Amino acid sequence: MELICDDKNSTIPCPDLISLGTTQLPHRFNRGETLNLNNYFTKYFKKTGISIEGLINKYSYFDYRIGNNWLALPIVADIRPLRFNKTTFDYCIKKGYDIHYPPPYSNYWGSNYQKTWTWEKAFEYAKLIKNCTGLPGFRIFGNKSEDTKFFIQLCQSIGVPFLIEDPDLNIKKCGFRNKDHIKKLEIIRELFEDHNIEPWLYEPLIEKWKTEKYPSSVEEQPILMLDPEVFHYGSSYFIGLSLDGYVGTVISGLYYSYVPGTSSFLGGQGIVITKKSKYPDQAFEYLEQFLNATYPYTSLMNVSVSPYSNIPGKDCKLSTAKKTNKELCNSLINKNGIIPHYYVYNNKTEIAYLKYEVISSKGRVRFNKERTVNNISLFTNITNMYFQCDDYSDYYGKKITVYEKDSLQLPLNENEFIILKSMKNYKENNEDLDSKQDMCSIFNDALNKAKPIQFPYNTFSEINEFEMRSPISILLAHLYYNFNGTHEQTFEDIINECCDIIDDSFLPFCKEGSNVKFEFNECNPETEMQNIHYLNCKNYDKDTKLPILPTIKKCTYIPYSNFKGKILISTGIISSIIEVIIFIIITIYRNEKCIHIVGYHYLILLILSTVLMYISAILWIGENTKFKCIFKLWLMIIGIFGFICSYSIKANAIITVYNNNNMKSVNKKSKDIFYYITIFIIQIFLLSIWSIFHKGLNIKHSKLFNIGYYDYSVCSYGDKNIITIIFLIDYILVLISIISAYKGRNIPSQFNFSKNNLIISIITLFLLSLCYIISLLDIDSLKGNYITTILIIVTALLINLIFVGSKLLIIFNIGNVDSIVIVTNRNSNNLTLNPDTF
């Protein structure tokens, strides 16, 4: 496609008007080279009261609009009629083949020929003609994309959509992938596979395609073209049937007929106004002349039919105009000569001769008595009179008129007239006129059911790319050259291959600000990036093949197989292994007094709660699911609560006894256990209520560069009030633990775990805050979430090491240990406490 109007290159032409084929119109418009004509169409209506839209033939409308924009003023209508070779039909009929002239030349098809004269019947005739003559009985004839036009009108006739629109992606797609549609298209197989059709493609390209490695992608598919030696307009001869781009020429023995089925092809040309035209208003005033039926411009550019219902083509202009009797009479008397006529007189058919004379395109006749034999007396009164053509017959005015197309009404006297029917070969003398009249009727029929390629949609710029890629040529070449058999492809395979090329050719190129749709591939663990897959456009420059829009984005989660995920999982596993080692040691030495003082069961609870915390922390990375979102919060809340309980109950009992608040430590411990169990049940109840009404996932929106927005899922917080209450309870328990630990600060070193309780409680407060932050605060940063989860694992491990580590030192005789503590009561005598009572 030639460049126009380049400000940087003065050698490139910049016209005001360009005549373009319909498939090129949207391409030029989308490149910003041509004007939207909506305002001009509106101004024309206001000025004349005539709607251009109303003048345009019903289906031509679709070729000249993209969206709500008028792209051009139509000037040419392009249709594809069918032609048949009458000589071949006569020959095969004589040989006994059951074939009939196509409509309207045979009554065989009945009045509703669209249901009887079908493409199946045409293909059957092609086969019969080949059997009869030994030569292919069908031909596709034209100069560009004729096989595509044939295939599309076939699809439209047999109820197969050639293309469909994806409303979500706003793109056009191949419409005949459906198995039912593929089954309907089976009717073309015999036509091409048995070579009942003449070859139509350029053979060198076919041979190259067949000998090279088979294409592995749609981009590698060849571009096939029609054979220029076959499709030049001098090659008018064919054997049987021809879908003809050679419109409007009358050729002896070759007759136009109705197109099979219910649809035909419609294309055309229109004139655009370039965007850089200095005189757009004057340019449209010039275009208005094409809309005026009194001017010959549009009619002369169209052979038979035009894009406008009120303007016929040049060959059909006279035939569609209403003629007067005078005009018909003059057209009948169009040559000088003595012509025999027959007439009926007294129930007998007689012959009379009239002399025809043409003077200045006007016809006149005189009775010729020298050649007439019978009933000469009947013509006595007019023997020497010339009668001039007129709209009526008159004896005194010496006027004659036409009675039928080949009959004259001749006055004999003032009261009588006679009908004389010409005996000349009407077809011989008026062959061109009659043929064109029949042709115009057939073309009008074709136009009434003709539809553009993209019907029922308005045109779009990728139509031009589709034509250039020639996917239909590849499909039909597979059948004709048996290339599908070579590569063991089924008919469905080659249909789908064709559709793949069509889908790719219909995809526009991406650009910022357009309605781009996209999706993402799986997150790459190594790079933490996701590839962007554009769904409704091709993300590369047509010339440079470089990406137009970004191709990757950061992941919305940290994959487990990413190095960060591996570090987090490794940290959790190592921490869990340490907990298992601690569990084994304290189990082996559970009868040691230092373990007994702390409480073996409380240590087990502490270890289990810590492991739950590790698992919960690991679940905060990776892709989110509803179950995962709920489960990890349950683990975290149960873990942190068990964490607090495991060291607080025993520590509180020791501190209370030491301070003589309650000498019955067992009762105190039992009461604390009851309190904590009650609180735990309340938290489980609250968690259950929260889970029931929890959505699981929330959808968040994020902007992708300057392209658009995308959605991704994050864990829903559910009812934040419930989770806040649970954390508030835990905060209260931790604060109580801190206060209790502060009260027990004077406990002797033999009970140093109670001293550590203060440090542990403070660190637990920090751990609880980390859990609250990751559970309820909206942290968009993956890095922030990752650091928080690492801190949770490390902090939980640190607390365990502080709490249990001192006991392990005692077990392995690292440090000083006393088993008896002397407690001085503030109000009584000294009291000896046995650790076994705890």
Side-chain angles (χ1 to χ4, degrees):
M1 188 173 290
E2 294 185 14
L3 296 176
I4 62 168
C5 304
D6 189 343
D7 295 334
K8 298 179 181 179
N9 189 345
S10 59
T11 63
I12 294 177
C14 190
D16 294 287
L17 300 168
I18 311 176
S19 176
L20 297 173
T22 52
T23 58
Q24 298 180 47
L25 294 174
H27 186 69
R28 291 280 190 187
F29 181 79
N30 280 351
R31 287 172 58 172
E33 296 176 350
T34 61
L35 287 177
N36 173 359
L37 300 185
N38 286 10
N39 289 336
Y40 292 106
F41 279 34
T42 302
K43 289 178 182 178
Y44 183 82
F45 176 71
K46 290 180 179 178
K47 181 172 69 173
T48 64
I50 299 173
S51 166
I52 297 176
E53 296 92 329
L55 294 176
I56 296 174
N57 286 314
K58 57 180 179 179
Y59 292 131
S60 293
Y61 178 97
F62 293 95
D63 263 338
Y64 296 91
R65 284 176 65 87
I66 182 169
N68 292 318
N69 305 300
W70 280 102
L71 308 183
L73 185 77
I75 57 169
V76 173
D78 184 17
I79 58 175
R80 288 296 175 273
L82 188 75
R83 220 194 286 232
F84 73 98
N85 189 321
K86 182 177 180 296
T87 303
T88 301
F89 270 69
D90 290 339
Y91 174 75
C92 293
I93 290 171
K94 287 181 180 179
K95 289 187 68 174
Y97 286 89
D98 184 20
I99 61 174
H100 305 268
Y101 297 150
Y105 298 98
S106 171
N107 294 327
Y108 173 79
W109 309 101
S111 59
N112 192 4
Y113 78 91
Q114 292 187 2
K115 289 187 177 180
T116 54
W117 178 232
T118 62
W119 281 109
E120 291 93 333
K121 201 67 178 177
F123 297 160
E124 178 189 337
Y125 275 22
K127 178 182 178 180
L128 291 175
I129 289 170
K130 184 182 179 185
N131 293 339
C132 171
T133 65
L135 296 172
F138 195 86
R139 182 184 71 161
I140 303 170
F141 187 72
N143 64 346
K144 182 183 178 183
S145 304
E146 295 303 323
D147 49 0
T148 298
K149 296 164 187 174
F150 155 72
F151 184 82
I152 291 173
Q153 72 181 69
L154 170 68
C155 287
Q156 293 171 346
S157 287
I158 63 176
V160 172
F162 176 71
L163 62 86
I164 56 175
E165 187 172 56
D166 187 323
D168 297 324
L169 300 180
N170 194 28
I171 57 173
K172 307 297 188 296
K173 291 183 175 181
C174 174
F176 49 92
R177 285 186 191 269
N178 181 286
K179 289 186 180 296
D180 292 335
H181 297 153
I182 294 174
K183 186 175 181 180
K184 288 183 179 180
L185 289 172
E186 292 270 356
I187 64 171
I188 66 172
R189 295 190 62 177
E190 187 177 23
L191 179 71
F192 287 90
E193 291 176 349
D194 292 350
H195 293 190
N196 295 330
I197 184 172
E198 294 181 16
W200 74 104
L201 293 172
Y202 188 48
E203 289 287 345
L205 291 178
I206 296 293
E207 290 303 318
K208 182 180 178 183
W209 175 47
K210 292 172 68 175
T211 54
E212 291 183 347
K213 181 182 177 183
Y214 194 79
S216 59
S217 65
V218 292
E219 291 82 6
E220 295 178 5
Q221 290 289 349
I223 295 177
L224 304 180
M225 60 179 286
L226 276 61
D227 191 338
E229 294 298 322
V230 175
F231 291 96
H232 62 81
Y233 283 124
S235 301
S236 56
Y237 182 77
F238 59 92
I239 297 297
L241 299 167
S242 176
L243 190 64
D244 216 324
Y246 190 21
V247 177
T249 302
V250 177
I251 303 173
S252 178
L254 306 181
Y255 290 79
Y256 286 107
S257 72
Y258 293 144
V259 177
T262 58
S263 182
S264 179
F265 166 77
L266 177 63
Q269 291 182 4
I271 298 181
V272 300
I273 302 176
T274 59
K275 188 165 277 189
K276 293 193 177 181
S277 170
K278 296 179 181 178
Y279 310 103
D281 294 341
Q282 292 84 347
F284 192 80
E285 287 180 10
Y286 168 74
L287 294 183
E288 290 178 4
Q289 311 309 310
F290 293 93
L291 299 170
N292 194 328
T294 61
Y295 297 141
Y297 311 125
T298 302
S299 182
L300 289 174
M301 286 188 293
N302 293 273
V303 175
S304 55
V305 293
S306 81
Y308 302 101
S309 56
N310 65 327
I311 304 178
K314 59 182 174 59
D315 286 349
C316 298
K317 189 169 185 178
L318 292 177
S319 66
T320 56
K322 185 177 181 181
K323 294 183 178 181
T324 64
N325 285 343
K326 182 177 181 178
E327 290 172 332
L328 292 172
C329 178
N330 284 321
S331 66
L332 180 61
I333 305 171
N334 60 357
K335 289 181 180 180
N336 294 330
I338 298 175
I339 309 300
H341 294 68
Y342 68 86
Y343 62 96
V344 178
Y345 185 71
N346 292 331
N347 294 322
K348 289 184 178 181
T349 302
E350 303 287 355
I351 305 295
Y353 286 83
L354 297 181
K355 183 180 180 180
Y356 283 13
E357 291 185 9
V358 179
I359 302 174
S360 300
S361 300
K362 295 180 179 179
R364 69 177 189 172
V365 299
R366 181 175 67 86
F367 174 71
N368 186 279
K369 65 179 180 178
E370 291 81 9
R371 301 285 296 273
T372 304
V373 177
N374 299 323
N375 298 324
I376 295 178
S377 60
L378 186 65
F379 302 94
T380 301
N381 293 338
I382 61 171
T383 298
N384 298 312
M385 295 173 62
Y386 275 99
F387 289 84
Q388 197 80 30
C389 281
D390 211 323
D391 288 325
Y392 57 94
S393 62
D394 180 55
Y395 175 75
Y396 293 110
K398 298 180 181 179
K399 299 180 185 298
I400 192 173
T401 192
V402 71
Y403 183 77
E404 292 178 348
K405 68 178 182 178
D406 55 353
S407 302
L408 294 172
Q409 182 175 298
L410 178 67
L412 299 174
N413 53 52
E414 60 181 330
N415 297 318
E416 293 180 289
F417 62 85
I418 192 170
I419 304 300
L420 301 171
K421 190 174 183 65
S422 173
M423 293 178 65
K424 73 176 181 177
N425 188 334
Y426 183 78
K427 286 291 182 183
E428 176 184 339
N429 291 279
N430 293 280
E431 182 176 6
D432 288 345
L433 178 62
D434 280 2
S435 296
K436 287 180 180 179
Q437 287 176 338
D438 292 339
M439 180 183 70
C440 293
S441 171
I442 290 167
F443 285 173
N444 282 326
D445 177 82
L447 180 64
N448 287 335
K449 62 184 182 182
K451 302 177 183 69
I453 288 175
Q454 75 283 356
F455 182 83
Y457 308 105
N458 286 343
T459 189
F460 54 100
S461 59
E462 291 71 35
I463 284 286
N464 189 57
E465 175 77 5
F466 158 73
E467 271 199 334
M468 292 176 60
R469 296 277 290 275
S470 64
I472 301 302
S473 297
I474 296 174
L475 164 63
L476 301 180
H478 267 295
L479 301 176
Y480 191 86
Y481 296 98
N482 197 30
F483 202 29
N484 57 309
T486 306
H487 290 270
E488 298 182 352
Q489 290 175 300
T490 65
F491 183 65
E492 183 175 348
D493 290 336
I494 62 173
I495 288 286
N496 287 326
E497 178 188 76
C498 175
C499 282
D500 289 340
I501 304 172
I502 292 174
D503 289 348
D504 186 69
S505 64
F506 283 166
L507 272 181
F509 289 94
C510 297
K511 58 183 178 180
E512 285 190 9
S514 59
N515 186 25
V516 177
K517 305 290 184 181
F518 47 84
E519 65 181 11
F520 309 117
N521 293 345
E522 292 292 327
C523 182
N524 187 325
E526 295 181 1
T527 61
E528 277 188 77
M529 303 295 287
Q530 289 177 282
N531 290 329
I532 305 172
H533 175 52
Y534 294 94
L535 302 175
N536 62 346
C537 63
K538 289 180 275 196
N539 187 33
Y540 60 85
D541 184 88
K542 189 174 182 180
D543 299 321
T544 65
K545 304 301 181 184
L546 296 175
I548 301 171
L549 301 178
T551 58
I552 57 173
K553 63 168 280 291
K554 289 192 69 66
C555 300
T556 55
Y557 62 91
I558 299 174
Y560 285 113
S561 53
N562 176 258
F563 79 95
K564 293 178 184 176
K566 291 177 181 178
I567 290 174
L568 182 64
I569 294 172
S570 298
T571 304
I573 291 174
I574 292 171
S575 300
S576 298
I577 291 172
I578 294 173
E579 300 295 339
V580 171
I581 294 172
I582 293 173
F583 168 75
I584 292 172
I585 294 174
I586 63 175
T587 301
I588 293 173
Y589 295 98
R590 62 183 178 276
N591 294 322
E592 293 288 330
K593 289 187 177 180
C594 61
I595 300 299
H596 195 68
I597 290 173
V598 176
Y600 173 73
H601 295 94
Y602 293 105
L603 289 176
I604 297 301
L605 177 60
L606 179 64
I607 292 171
L608 289 176
S609 299
T610 306
V611 172
L612 292 181
M613 296 286 291
Y614 297 157
I615 297 172
S616 174
I618 292 173
L619 292 177
W620 286 92
I621 65 171
E623 287 190 87
N624 292 314
T625 64
K626 180 176 180 179
F627 173 78
K628 185 178 175 182
C629 291
I630 295 174
F631 185 59
K632 65 186 179 183
L633 197 64
W634 272 75
L635 293 180
M636 180 169 286
I637 289 177
I638 292 173
I640 194 71
F641 182 79
F643 213 89
I644 296 169
C645 294
S646 59
Y647 64 81
S648 295
I649 296 175
K650 192 63 177 282
N652 287 343
I654 293 173
I655 293 169
T656 301
V657 171
Y658 175 78
N659 289 321
N660 291 328
N661 290 333
N662 188 348
M663 293 301 295
K664 297 180 180 179
S665 61
V666 176
N667 292 336
K668 171 62 179 173
K669 183 172 66 176
S670 299
K671 185 182 295 185
D672 285 347
I673 290 173
F674 175 76
Y675 289 154
Y676 277 99
I677 289 175
T678 302
I679 293 172
F680 180 70
I681 292 173
I682 292 172
Q683 288 196 347
I684 293 298
F685 175 76
L686 291 174
L687 271 177
S688 299
I689 297 298
W690 174 81
S691 300
I692 291 171
F693 297 101
H694 187 269
K695 293 187 297 183
L697 296 172
N698 277 341
I699 303 300
K700 298 190 72 173
H701 308 284
S702 182
K703 188 173 184 180
L704 182 67
F705 307 104
N706 291 323
I707 303 169
Y709 290 85
Y710 66 93
D711 298 336
Y712 65 97
S713 59
V714 295
C715 286
S716 169
Y717 300 117
D719 190 334
K720 283 188 175 183
N721 293 328
I722 293 177
I723 301 300
T724 301
I725 291 172
I726 293 173
F727 274 100
L728 181 60
I729 293 171
D730 290 338
Y731 270 112
I732 292 171
L733 293 177
V734 172
L735 290 175
I736 291 173
S737 178
I738 292 173
I739 294 170
S740 298
Y742 179 77
K743 291 180 179 179
R745 64 187 181 279
N746 295 322
I747 293 178
S749 59
Q750 290 89 343
F751 291 88
N752 60 354
F753 86 95
S754 295
K755 286 186 176 182
N756 291 340
N757 191 43
L758 179 59
I759 299 172
I760 291 170
S761 297
I762 294 173
I763 299 176
T764 302
L765 182 63
F766 173 70
L767 176 63
L768 182 61
S769 298
L770 290 175
C771 294
Y772 179 79
I773 289 170
I774 201 169
S775 299
L776 287 180
L777 298 185
D778 192 1
I779 304 176
D780 282 333
S781 169
L782 291 179
K783 186 177 180 180
N785 269 327
Y786 176 71
I787 293 173
T788 304
T789 53
I790 288 287
L791 285 175
I792 289 173
I793 293 175
V794 172
T795 304
L797 178 63
L798 177 64
I799 292 172
N800 274 12
L801 291 177
I802 293 174
F803 189 72
V804 181
S806 59
K807 307 303 172 279
L808 299 181
L809 294 176
I810 295 172
I811 290 173
F812 296 107
N813 296 318
I814 303 174
N816 297 321
V817 181
D818 292 322
S819 59
I820 301 297
V821 176
I822 305 298
V823 179
T824 304
N825 191 301
R826 292 170 299 190
N827 301 317
S828 61
N829 297 326
N830 290 343
L831 180 66
T832 299
L833 297 181
N834 189 338
D836 292 340
T837 62
F838 299 95

